[in-house]
Amino acid sequence: MRVEFVTNGTLAQFAQRGEAERADVIVCGFQALGEVSYERELKGETGLFYDVALLSRERACTVVSGCFTDARGMKKKSVVVAERGRVLGVSDMLNRLDGSRFCAGAGVKIFETNAGKLGIVVAEDLYFSRVVETLSVCGADAAVCVFEQFTEGMEPLLARAQAFLCGIPVLLCGYGYALIADIAGKVRFASAQSPCLFDLEKEQAYHLVETRRRGIYRSAGKKF
């Protein structure tokens, strides 16, 4: 899977550059679309989601882009996913931190694409380990996290830890920086350039894990 990260500039600016090398997945930070009003999109006053779908058709690939969605005053951090000219869906950040102006969403999403099953992690949901764990348990081939602005080394560390613990690569894209952590917890790729490309090999490793615990009583002779 060839991944291209766009960590600077708008989606329109990136599209105008023309196709240099073909990518299977293009991942863009929040700066690519900015704020998207559902009401204005439906009225045809803006066409930001259309632009994402159009880019995915022109490049014959999957496009994943962060954005700030506005549903009549309810603002959320979101990620839109499109493939080959069609918007597959929008995933919202699940967790609201310290009374943030961004509302909480509902449910994690995995999108089946030609590049594989991509699980979406939106911004600060990276701080909650159960999000990536759920994506892994539900069969995602990789977790794609679109972040806004990185703090001092925290997000790359979390990406590495969760890739190791959950057994799926974590692709991290934010303003001015992109990173891929593999299932060994190592940084496979990191770059401050925009755009930047990396060929990611599919990795799957399964292990038998046994745990002794109290409870779940079974009487003699009874079988589950």
Side-chain angles (χ1 to χ4, degrees):
M1 176 172 65
R2 173 166 283 193
V3 185
E4 184 168 18
F5 294 98
V6 181
T7 60
N8 277 300
T10 65
L11 188 77
Q13 291 171 337
F14 171 73
Q16 290 172 0
R17 293 169 59 102
E19 184 177 0
E21 294 186 58
R22 187 184 180 281
D24 300 307
V25 180
I26 298 174
V27 185
C28 307
F30 281 93
Q31 85 291 333
L33 292 180
E35 185 167 299
V36 180
S37 167
Y38 283 121
E39 186 174 6
R40 296 186 66 194
E41 287 281 299
L42 290 173
K43 288 181 178 179
E45 297 175 0
T46 60
L48 295 172
F49 284 173
Y50 173 79
D51 292 340
V52 176
L54 181 62
L55 179 63
S56 72
R57 186 180 69 183
E58 291 176 346
R59 303 291 178 91
C61 70
T62 302
V63 178
V64 178
S65 180
C67 57
F68 305 101
T69 53
D70 183 352
R72 297 199 173 189
M74 293 184 61
K75 296 188 177 183
K76 298 178 181 179
K77 289 185 180 182
S78 307
V79 170
V80 57
V81 180
E83 183 176 64
R84 298 178 182 268
R86 183 169 65 95
V87 174
L88 301 182
V90 178
S91 184
D92 301 321
M93 186 172 71
L94 295 177
N95 300 282
R96 185 185 185 193
L97 296 176
D98 297 330
S100 166
R101 66 189 182 95
F102 295 103
C103 300
V108 296
K109 293 184 180 179
I110 297 174
F111 296 94
E112 292 198 29
T113 72
N114 289 332
K117 296 180 180 179
L118 303 180
I120 303 300
V121 183
V122 185
E124 283 82 9
D125 278 345
L126 182 66
Y127 298 159
F128 299 85
S129 60
R130 281 186 292 183
V131 175
V132 177
E133 181 182 6
T134 300
L135 295 174
S136 177
V137 169
C138 293
D141 295 316
V144 182
C145 177
V146 180
F147 213 85
E148 190 177 356
Q149 187 74 46
F150 296 124
T151 56
E152 189 66 30
M154 177 62 71
E155 291 76 27
L157 179 63
L158 288 173
R160 292 175 58 192
Q162 295 194 34
F164 173 74
L165 293 172
C166 300
I168 57 174
V170 176
L171 286 60
L172 186 60
C173 179
Y175 182 73
Y177 188 69
L179 174 145
I180 296 177
D182 65 17
I183 61 175
K186 298 179 180 178
V187 175
R188 181 67 64 86
F189 168 82
S191 177
Q193 294 184 353
S194 181
C196 52
L197 282 158
F198 183 75
D199 289 308
L200 178 65
E201 295 181 2
K202 188 175 181 179
E203 295 180 286
Q204 288 186 333
Y206 294 89
H207 303 275
L208 177 63
V209 180
E210 297 181 90
T211 305
R212 294 183 64 185
R213 55 168 292 178
R214 293 183 176 181
I216 313 180
Y217 176 73
R218 182 173 63 181
S219 60
K222 184 178 180 180
K223 297 182 179 180
F224 286 150

